[in-house]
Amino acid sequence: MRLVIYAVVLLTILSAVIANWFVPRVGLNLWTLRKVSDVEFAVMREDAVRLVRGGLVRGALQPEDRYFVVSCHGKPVMLVDNSMERLVIVLFADRWIDVPCAVPLMLHWSGRIVAERVGA
């Protein structure tokens, strides 16, 4: 009976180690800022299209659309949403997603993000 208990405990520990090794770890950065005007949001989208290297910006094709998604190498890495009462920027980052394509954009926006976070 002891051998069965030891085997179950060993199998449980081994399963936990394997799961910990293969389960993706997602880093999530979330910024909420004051809502911007439609003109400011259009400029933000143009910045994204201009500054994202090797990536793709989707969404906000129509003037009434209030969001866009930045994808790098076919994987979404950033969501920018201005549809509610706040501007929300979500950056998904982990070791499997190549985020460097969005770095120039985040550097461009960082002054605004820091200024609003300090003022809040």
Side-chain angles (χ1 to χ4, degrees), residues 2-116:
R2 277 187 164 184
L3 185 58
V4 172
I5 293 172
Y6 288 136
V8 168
V9 169
L10 182 62
L11 185 60
T12 304
I13 292 171
L14 187 59
S15 298
V17 169
I18 290 172
N20 189 37
W21 183 264
F22 289 105
V23 171
R25 288 168 182 71
V26 175
L28 181 69
N29 293 307
L30 173 69
W31 295 280
T32 58
L33 310 168
R34 70 167 177 79
K35 185 177 178 91
V36 297
S37 69
D38 291 342
V39 173
E40 288 176 293
F41 189 70
V43 169
M44 290 179 74
R45 184 182 186 286
E46 289 171 11
D47 288 343
V49 169
R50 180 174 47 89
L51 294 172
V52 171
R53 304 282 186 240
L56 181 65
V57 178
R58 296 182 186 179
L61 299 175
Q62 305 298 323
E64 63 272 4
D65 289 342
R66 304 263 192 297
Y67 76 94
F68 61 87
V69 177
V70 175
S71 297
C72 297
H73 307 294
K75 297 178 182 172
V77 295
M78 183 187 306
L79 168 69
V80 181
D81 187 350
N82 195 42
S83 63
M84 301 305 242
E85 55 276 335
R86 306 275 298 166
L87 172 70
V88 176
I89 302 173
V90 181
L91 180 66
F92 307 99
D94 66 22
R95 62 182 175 190
W96 289 279
I97 295 177
D98 188 20
V99 185
C101 75
V103 168
L105 178 62
M106 290 307 297
L107 289 174
H108 181 72
W109 287 348
S110 66
R112 175 190 191 142
I113 292 171
V114 169
E116 286 202 29

